[in-house]
Amino acid sequence: MNQRNYQRELDSILEKIPRGEKRLFLHSCCAPCSSYVLEYLSEYFSITVFYFNPNIAPQEEYRHRLAEQKHLIECFNREGNRYPILVQEGEYEPQLFFDMARGLESSPEGGERCGKCFRLRLEETARQALAAGADYFTTTLSISPLKNAQLLGRIGEELASTYGVPWLPSDFKKKNGYKRSVELSAEYGLYRQDYCGCVFSKAERAGRTENSCDFSN
């Protein structure tokens, strides 16, 4: 299957839209991943950041990441050189994630469970984007080198067809997006978590750490 160049598709859209007149509903997984995306797209869109991540556990971790997200947006808005950024918090219902993940507990990071988690979060984003009258919706998830932008794009376009809100194609790791997100995280003093968010990714990371320790002995 041919790989689509989502960055080129995004560039084409940004060349044509009138700045500040279109509304983007942006799902965000965390403040560090959103930092470059907001710096980049807030020059073009009026953005509502939708923080919907029922996969994150424990609740203290969820609250910490949400607080960092709000802090970053406050900083950006104070700088006053972008269109204002709003934030909308989705319901924190971790049981939604666990119900979705049932039977996939042993799926490796990046496998079937992750694909279903993407769909869970993006479907709610599409639903809320429709309710908000947004012109586009997308997610920050593709900025991670570990996230499959092609899969995210396919899910986004399927949901766009279902809900009638256009999907904004993106692969935010392009154009040194991930590198810039690391720089912005340092600049704003953001908390950078060391696991994706769910209990399964945390356990998998802990297992890798233990194994690396075993090999070093």
Side-chain angles (χ1 to χ4, degrees), residues 160-196:
S161 178
T162 299
Y163 289 93
V165 181
W167 168 256
L168 189 71
S170 56
D171 188 354
F172 292 120
K173 68 180 70 65
K174 302 293 187 182
K175 300 174 72 172
N176 290 318
Y178 178 73
K179 178 175 180 290
R180 180 59 179 156
S181 75
V182 174
E183 294 170 350
L184 287 167
S185 295
E187 181 180 333
Y188 289 101
L190 300 177
Y191 162 63
R192 290 184 62 83
Q193 59 276 359
D194 59 4
Y195 68 104
C196 179

mmCIF file of all heavy atoms in Angstrom, residues 160-196:
data_model
loop_
_atom_site.group_PDB
_atom_site.id
_atom_site.type_symbol
_atom_site.label_atom_id
_atom_site.label_comp_id
_atom_site.label_asym_id
_atom_site.label_seq_id
_atom_site.Cartn_x
_atom_site.Cartn_y
_atom_site.Cartn_z
ATOM 1 N N ALA A 160 -14.683 11.144 9.502
ATOM 2 C CA ALA A 160 -15.130 12.349 8.789
ATOM 3 C C ALA A 160 -16.329 12.020 7.903
ATOM 4 O O ALA A 160 -17.294 12.790 7.819
ATOM 5 C CB ALA A 160 -13.988 12.923 7.953
ATOM 6 N N SER A 161 -16.293 10.873 7.257
ATOM 7 C CA SER A 161 -17.398 10.441 6.403
ATOM 8 C C SER A 161 -18.644 10.168 7.227
ATOM 9 O O SER A 161 -19.763 10.487 6.814
ATOM 10 C CB SER A 161 -16.986 9.176 5.632
ATOM 11 O OG SER A 161 -18.043 8.710 4.839
ATOM 12 N N THR A 162 -18.456 9.623 8.426
ATOM 13 C CA THR A 162 -19.586 9.297 9.293
ATOM 14 C C THR A 162 -20.224 10.539 9.891
ATOM 15 O O THR A 162 -21.458 10.667 9.929
ATOM 16 C CB THR A 162 -19.134 8.358 10.432
ATOM 17 O OG1 THR A 162 -18.626 7.147 9.862
ATOM 18 C CG2 THR A 162 -20.283 8.044 11.375
ATOM 19 N N TYR A 163 -19.402 11.472 10.364
ATOM 20 C CA TYR A 163 -19.910 12.622 11.114
ATOM 21 C C TYR A 163 -20.027 13.903 10.289
ATOM 22 O O TYR A 163 -20.605 14.879 10.763
ATOM 23 C CB TYR A 163 -19.039 12.860 12.355
ATOM 24 C CG TYR A 163 -19.240 11.779 13.398
ATOM 25 C CD1 TYR A 163 -18.422 10.663 13.423
ATOM 26 C CD2 TYR A 163 -20.283 11.862 14.311
ATOM 27 C CE1 TYR A 163 -18.615 9.648 14.351
ATOM 28 C CE2 TYR A 163 -20.483 10.861 15.251
ATOM 29 C CZ TYR A 163 -19.650 9.755 15.261
ATOM 30 O OH TYR A 163 -19.862 8.754 16.185
ATOM 31 N N GLY A 164 -19.459 13.912 9.108
ATOM 32 C CA GLY A 164 -19.623 15.072 8.236
ATOM 33 C C GLY A 164 -18.741 16.258 8.574
ATOM 34 O O GLY A 164 -19.004 17.367 8.107
ATOM 35 N N VAL A 165 -17.703 16.041 9.367
ATOM 36 C CA VAL A 165 -16.731 17.094 9.665
ATOM 37 C C VAL A 165 -15.425 16.704 8.993
ATOM 38 O O VAL A 165 -14.911 15.611 9.245
ATOM 39 C CB VAL A 165 -16.508 17.269 11.176
ATOM 40 C CG1 VAL A 165 -15.507 18.399 11.443
ATOM 41 C CG2 VAL A 165 -17.818 17.534 11.896
ATOM 42 N N PRO A 166 -14.848 17.547 8.154
ATOM 43 C CA PRO A 166 -13.621 17.176 7.444
ATOM 44 C C PRO A 166 -12.457 16.879 8.393
ATOM 45 O O PRO A 166 -12.257 17.565 9.398
ATOM 46 C CB PRO A 166 -13.324 18.404 6.573
ATOM 47 C CG PRO A 166 -14.647 19.063 6.390
ATOM 48 C CD PRO A 166 -15.387 18.844 7.672
ATOM 49 N N TRP A 167 -11.716 15.850 8.048
ATOM 50 C CA TRP A 167 -10.493 15.487 8.761
ATOM 51 C C TRP A 167 -9.342 16.312 8.204
ATOM 52 O O TRP A 167 -9.175 16.414 6.993
ATOM 53 C CB TRP A 167 -10.218 14.003 8.571
ATOM 54 C CG TRP A 167 -8.873 13.522 8.986
ATOM 55 C CD1 TRP A 167 -7.830 13.197 8.164
ATOM 56 C CD2 TRP A 167 -8.418 13.262 10.320
ATOM 57 N NE1 TRP A 167 -6.754 12.755 8.905
ATOM 58 C CE2 TRP A 167 -7.084 12.788 10.228
ATOM 59 C CE3 TRP A 167 -9.007 13.391 11.584
ATOM 60 C CZ2 TRP A 167 -6.340 12.440 11.349
ATOM 61 C CZ3 TRP A 167 -8.262 13.050 12.710
ATOM 62 C CH2 TRP A 167 -6.957 12.583 12.588
ATOM 63 N N LEU A 168 -8.555 16.914 9.079
ATOM 64 C CA LEU A 168 -7.380 17.660 8.650
ATOM 65 C C LEU A 168 -6.204 16.695 8.576
ATOM 66 O O LEU A 168 -5.724 16.211 9.607
ATOM 67 C CB LEU A 168 -7.071 18.794 9.626
ATOM 68 C CG LEU A 168 -5.992 19.785 9.154
ATOM 69 C CD1 LEU A 168 -6.515 20.647 8.000
ATOM 70 C CD2 LEU A 168 -5.533 20.669 10.314
ATOM 71 N N PRO A 169 -5.723 16.368 7.371
ATOM 72 C CA PRO A 169 -4.628 15.399 7.249
ATOM 73 C C PRO A 169 -3.365 15.935 7.897
ATOM 74 O O PRO A 169 -3.070 17.130 7.824
ATOM 75 C CB PRO A 169 -4.467 15.246 5.731
ATOM 76 C CG PRO A 169 -4.997 16.516 5.157
ATOM 77 C CD PRO A 169 -6.113 16.933 6.070
ATOM 78 N N SER A 170 -2.630 15.035 8.527
ATOM 79 C CA SER A 170 -1.447 15.518 9.238
ATOM 80 C C SER A 170 -0.502 14.372 9.556
ATOM 81 O O SER A 170 -0.917 13.230 9.750
ATOM 82 C CB SER A 170 -1.848 16.211 10.550
ATOM 83 O OG SER A 170 -2.628 15.338 11.349
ATOM 84 N N ASP A 171 0.753 14.704 9.608
ATOM 85 C CA ASP A 171 1.801 13.840 10.145
ATOM 86 C C ASP A 171 2.777 14.801 10.806
ATOM 87 O O ASP A 171 3.788 15.189 10.229
ATOM 88 C CB ASP A 171 2.469 13.023 9.037
ATOM 89 C CG ASP A 171 3.429 11.984 9.585
ATOM 90 O OD1 ASP A 171 3.647 11.983 10.816
ATOM 91 O OD2 ASP A 171 3.969 11.189 8.802
ATOM 92 N N PHE A 172 2.453 15.189 12.022
ATOM 93 C CA PHE A 172 3.128 16.310 12.661
ATOM 94 C C PHE A 172 4.580 16.048 13.020
ATOM 95 O O PHE A 172 5.296 16.978 13.389
ATOM 96 C CB PHE A 172 2.341 16.766 13.887
ATOM 97 C CG PHE A 172 1.017 17.385 13.561
ATOM 98 C CD1 PHE A 172 -0.163 16.830 14.043
ATOM 99 C CD2 PHE A 172 0.939 18.508 12.764
ATOM 100 C CE1 PHE A 172 -1.393 17.400 13.746
ATOM 101 C CE2 PHE A 172 -0.284 19.091 12.446
ATOM 102 C CZ PHE A 172 -1.455 18.529 12.945
ATOM 103 N N LYS A 173 5.022 14.786 12.913
ATOM 104 C CA LYS A 173 6.438 14.530 13.154
ATOM 105 C C LYS A 173 7.308 15.043 12.010
ATOM 106 O O LYS A 173 8.516 15.201 12.156
ATOM 107 C CB LYS A 173 6.674 13.029 13.381
ATOM 108 C CG LYS A 173 6.456 12.152 12.172
ATOM 109 C CD LYS A 173 6.712 10.679 12.456
ATOM 110 C CE LYS A 173 5.684 10.059 13.356
ATOM 111 N NZ LYS A 173 4.310 10.004 12.773
ATOM 112 N N LYS A 174 6.680 15.317 10.848
ATOM 113 C CA LYS A 174 7.408 15.857 9.709
ATOM 114 C C LYS A 174 7.867 17.289 10.005
ATOM 115 O O LYS A 174 7.390 17.935 10.934
ATOM 116 C CB LYS A 174 6.525 15.851 8.459
ATOM 117 C CG LYS A 174 5.993 14.479 8.062
ATOM 118 C CD LYS A 174 7.101 13.560 7.595
ATOM 119 C CE LYS A 174 6.548 12.265 7.032
ATOM 120 N NZ LYS A 174 7.602 11.329 6.620
ATOM 121 N N LYS A 175 8.782 17.784 9.183
ATOM 122 C CA LYS A 175 9.317 19.147 9.335
ATOM 123 C C LYS A 175 9.896 19.355 10.734
ATOM 124 O O LYS A 175 9.762 20.422 11.320
ATOM 125 C CB LYS A 175 8.237 20.191 9.022
ATOM 126 C CG LYS A 175 7.688 20.093 7.609
ATOM 127 C CD LYS A 175 6.528 21.028 7.359
ATOM 128 C CE LYS A 175 6.950 22.474 7.280
ATOM 129 N NZ LYS A 175 5.829 23.344 6.834
ATOM 130 N N ASN A 176 10.513 18.277 11.273
ATOM 131 C CA ASN A 176 11.130 18.335 12.609
ATOM 132 C C ASN A 176 10.128 18.678 13.705
ATOM 133 O O ASN A 176 10.491 19.286 14.722
ATOM 134 C CB ASN A 176 12.293 19.331 12.631
ATOM 135 C CG ASN A 176 13.491 18.842 11.843
ATOM 136 O OD1 ASN A 176 13.859 17.677 11.917
ATOM 137 N ND2 ASN A 176 14.089 19.737 11.067
ATOM 138 N N GLY A 177 8.866 18.269 13.496
ATOM 139 C CA GLY A 177 7.835 18.577 14.480
ATOM 140 C C GLY A 177 8.102 17.972 15.838
ATOM 141 O O GLY A 177 7.932 18.640 16.872
ATOM 142 N N TYR A 178 8.537 16.709 15.872
ATOM 143 C CA TYR A 178 8.815 16.084 17.162
ATOM 144 C C TYR A 178 9.979 16.792 17.858
ATOM 145 O O TYR A 178 9.915 17.077 19.058
ATOM 146 C CB TYR A 178 9.123 14.601 16.989
ATOM 147 C CG TYR A 178 9.459 13.926 18.297
ATOM 148 C CD1 TYR A 178 8.471 13.666 19.238
ATOM 149 C CD2 TYR A 178 10.777 13.585 18.609
ATOM 150 C CE1 TYR A 178 8.770 13.078 20.454
ATOM 151 C CE2 TYR A 178 11.091 13.000 19.823
ATOM 152 C CZ TYR A 178 10.090 12.739 20.739
ATOM 153 O OH TYR A 178 10.394 12.170 21.954
ATOM 154 N N LYS A 179 11.019 17.086 17.104
ATOM 155 C CA LYS A 179 12.179 17.787 17.671
ATOM 156 C C LYS A 179 11.744 19.133 18.257
ATOM 157 O O LYS A 179 12.170 19.510 19.359
ATOM 158 C CB LYS A 179 13.233 17.992 16.591
ATOM 159 C CG LYS A 179 14.473 18.760 17.029
ATOM 160 C CD LYS A 179 15.494 18.803 15.910
ATOM 161 C CE LYS A 179 16.758 19.572 16.315
ATOM 162 N NZ LYS A 179 16.492 21.013 16.445
ATOM 163 N N ARG A 180 10.899 19.844 17.541
ATOM 164 C CA ARG A 180 10.429 21.139 18.029
ATOM 165 C C ARG A 180 9.575 20.979 19.289
ATOM 166 O O ARG A 180 9.649 21.827 20.190
ATOM 167 C CB ARG A 180 9.645 21.853 16.923
ATOM 168 C CG ARG A 180 9.092 23.227 17.311
ATOM 169 C CD ARG A 180 10.185 24.181 17.726
ATOM 170 N NE ARG A 180 9.639 25.497 18.066
ATOM 171 C CZ ARG A 180 10.249 26.362 18.882
ATOM 172 N NH1 ARG A 180 11.429 26.077 19.419
ATOM 173 N NH2 ARG A 180 9.685 27.525 19.140
ATOM 174 N N SER A 181 8.805 19.904 19.359
ATOM 175 C CA SER A 181 7.987 19.686 20.555
ATOM 176 C C SER A 181 8.875 19.470 21.785
ATOM 177 O O SER A 181 8.519 19.911 22.890
ATOM 178 C CB SER A 181 7.047 18.497 20.358
ATOM 179 O OG SER A 181 7.723 17.255 20.436
ATOM 180 N N VAL A 182 10.001 18.820 21.599
ATOM 181 C CA VAL A 182 10.937 18.625 22.708
ATOM 182 C C VAL A 182 11.519 19.968 23.142
ATOM 183 O O VAL A 182 11.641 20.256 24.338
ATOM 184 C CB VAL A 182 12.059 17.646 22.305
ATOM 185 C CG1 VAL A 182 13.122 17.555 23.395
ATOM 186 C CG2 VAL A 182 11.475 16.265 22.016
ATOM 187 N N GLU A 183 11.856 20.809 22.172
ATOM 188 C CA GLU A 183 12.401 22.134 22.485
ATOM 189 C C GLU A 183 11.370 22.987 23.225
ATOM 190 O O GLU A 183 11.706 23.659 24.220
ATOM 191 C CB GLU A 183 12.816 22.841 21.191
ATOM 192 C CG GLU A 183 13.985 22.178 20.476
ATOM 193 C CD GLU A 183 14.231 22.748 19.086
ATOM 194 O OE1 GLU A 183 13.390 23.536 18.593
ATOM 195 O OE2 GLU A 183 15.267 22.399 18.491
ATOM 196 N N LEU A 184 10.117 22.972 22.758
ATOM 197 C CA LEU A 184 9.068 23.764 23.397
ATOM 198 C C LEU A 184 8.757 23.243 24.793
ATOM 199 O O LEU A 184 8.470 24.030 25.711
ATOM 200 C CB LEU A 184 7.802 23.762 22.537
ATOM 201 C CG LEU A 184 7.870 24.606 21.269
ATOM 202 C CD1 LEU A 184 6.706 24.288 20.348
ATOM 203 C CD2 LEU A 184 7.892 26.099 21.610
ATOM 204 N N SER A 185 8.811 21.938 24.969
ATOM 205 C CA SER A 185 8.577 21.367 26.294
ATOM 206 C C SER A 185 9.604 21.882 27.288
ATOM 207 O O SER A 185 9.276 22.201 28.434
ATOM 208 C CB SER A 185 8.629 19.839 26.230
ATOM 209 O OG SER A 185 7.578 19.327 25.447
ATOM 210 N N ALA A 186 10.857 21.982 26.850
ATOM 211 C CA ALA A 186 11.901 22.523 27.714
ATOM 212 C C ALA A 186 11.684 24.013 27.958
ATOM 213 O O ALA A 186 11.837 24.500 29.087
ATOM 214 C CB ALA A 186 13.272 22.279 27.087
ATOM 215 N N GLU A 187 11.300 24.720 26.904
ATOM 216 C CA GLU A 187 11.093 26.167 27.023
ATOM 217 C C GLU A 187 9.990 26.503 28.020
ATOM 218 O O GLU A 187 10.116 27.453 28.806
ATOM 219 C CB GLU A 187 10.731 26.730 25.643
ATOM 220 C CG GLU A 187 10.499 28.227 25.617
ATOM 221 C CD GLU A 187 10.155 28.732 24.223
ATOM 222 O OE1 GLU A 187 10.577 28.085 23.234
ATOM 223 O OE2 GLU A 187 9.460 29.771 24.128
ATOM 224 N N TYR A 188 8.910 25.711 28.012
ATOM 225 C CA TYR A 188 7.771 25.987 28.897
ATOM 226 C C TYR A 188 7.798 25.146 30.169
ATOM 227 O O TYR A 188 6.879 25.233 30.980
ATOM 228 C CB TYR A 188 6.458 25.751 28.148
ATOM 229 C CG TYR A 188 6.183 26.798 27.095
ATOM 230 C CD1 TYR A 188 6.421 26.536 25.754
ATOM 231 C CD2 TYR A 188 5.686 28.056 27.441
ATOM 232 C CE1 TYR A 188 6.183 27.497 24.777
ATOM 233 C CE2 TYR A 188 5.438 29.017 26.478
ATOM 234 C CZ TYR A 188 5.694 28.732 25.149
ATOM 235 O OH TYR A 188 5.450 29.689 24.188
ATOM 236 N N GLY A 189 8.842 24.359 30.349
ATOM 237 C CA GLY A 189 8.963 23.551 31.561
ATOM 238 C C GLY A 189 7.889 22.499 31.706
ATOM 239 O O GLY A 189 7.399 22.243 32.815
ATOM 240 N N LEU A 190 7.513 21.859 30.596
ATOM 241 C CA LEU A 190 6.413 20.905 30.611
ATOM 242 C C LEU A 190 6.850 19.540 31.135
ATOM 243 O O LEU A 190 7.967 19.091 30.885
ATOM 244 C CB LEU A 190 5.831 20.738 29.205
ATOM 245 C CG LEU A 190 5.254 21.979 28.546
ATOM 246 C CD1 LEU A 190 4.796 21.658 27.128
ATOM 247 C CD2 LEU A 190 4.102 22.552 29.370
ATOM 248 N N TYR A 191 5.946 18.907 31.818
ATOM 249 C CA TYR A 191 6.137 17.533 32.267
ATOM 250 C C TYR A 191 6.064 16.598 31.064
ATOM 251 O O TYR A 191 5.084 16.586 30.332
ATOM 252 C CB TYR A 191 5.048 17.181 33.277
ATOM 253 C CG TYR A 191 4.825 15.704 33.517
ATOM 254 C CD1 TYR A 191 5.837 14.895 34.051
ATOM 255 C CD2 TYR A 191 3.593 15.117 33.225
ATOM 256 C CE1 TYR A 191 5.621 13.544 34.281
ATOM 257 C CE2 TYR A 191 3.361 13.769 33.456
ATOM 258 C CZ TYR A 191 4.374 12.991 33.981
ATOM 259 O OH TYR A 191 4.161 11.652 34.200
ATOM 260 N N ARG A 192 7.118 15.829 30.850
ATOM 261 C CA ARG A 192 7.152 14.855 29.754
ATOM 262 C C ARG A 192 7.063 13.446 30.349
ATOM 263 O O ARG A 192 8.008 12.973 30.970
ATOM 264 C CB ARG A 192 8.432 15.006 28.917
ATOM 265 C CG ARG A 192 8.463 16.276 28.104
ATOM 266 C CD ARG A 192 9.719 16.342 27.218
ATOM 267 N NE ARG A 192 9.759 15.252 26.260
ATOM 268 C CZ ARG A 192 9.120 15.270 25.082
ATOM 269 N NH1 ARG A 192 8.388 16.311 24.736
ATOM 270 N NH2 ARG A 192 9.224 14.247 24.266
ATOM 271 N N GLN A 193 5.924 12.822 30.176
ATOM 272 C CA GLN A 193 5.689 11.496 30.727
ATOM 273 C C GLN A 193 6.547 10.452 30.029
ATOM 274 O O GLN A 193 6.982 10.657 28.901
ATOM 275 C CB GLN A 193 4.209 11.118 30.597
ATOM 276 C CG GLN A 193 3.691 11.110 29.172
ATOM 277 C CD GLN A 193 3.256 12.483 28.658
ATOM 278 O OE1 GLN A 193 3.323 13.477 29.376
ATOM 279 N NE2 GLN A 193 2.808 12.526 27.416
ATOM 280 N N ASP A 194 6.783 9.327 30.708
ATOM 281 C CA ASP A 194 7.656 8.303 30.138
ATOM 282 C C ASP A 194 6.892 7.055 29.676
ATOM 283 O O ASP A 194 7.488 6.010 29.432
ATOM 284 C CB ASP A 194 8.760 7.906 31.127
ATOM 285 C CG ASP A 194 8.212 7.360 32.436
ATOM 286 O OD1 ASP A 194 6.981 7.216 32.574
ATOM 287 O OD2 ASP A 194 9.031 7.069 33.337
ATOM 288 N N TYR A 195 5.563 7.174 29.578
ATOM 289 C CA TYR A 195 4.770 6.099 28.974
ATOM 290 C C TYR A 195 3.554 6.726 28.309
ATOM 291 O O TYR A 195 3.158 7.842 28.633
ATOM 292 C CB TYR A 195 4.365 5.030 30.002
ATOM 293 C CG TYR A 195 3.377 5.491 31.065
ATOM 294 C CD1 TYR A 195 2.034 5.120 31.001
ATOM 295 C CD2 TYR A 195 3.786 6.262 32.142
ATOM 296 C CE1 TYR A 195 1.131 5.511 31.980
ATOM 297 C CE2 TYR A 195 2.902 6.666 33.126
ATOM 298 C CZ TYR A 195 1.569 6.281 33.045
ATOM 299 O OH TYR A 195 0.686 6.687 34.016
ATOM 300 N N CYS A 196 2.971 5.997 27.360
ATOM 301 C CA CYS A 196 1.907 6.569 26.532
ATOM 302 C C CYS A 196 0.731 7.045 27.372
ATOM 303 O O CYS A 196 0.198 8.112 27.135
ATOM 304 C CB CYS A 196 1.456 5.530 25.497
ATOM 305 S SG CYS A 196 0.125 6.109 24.423
#
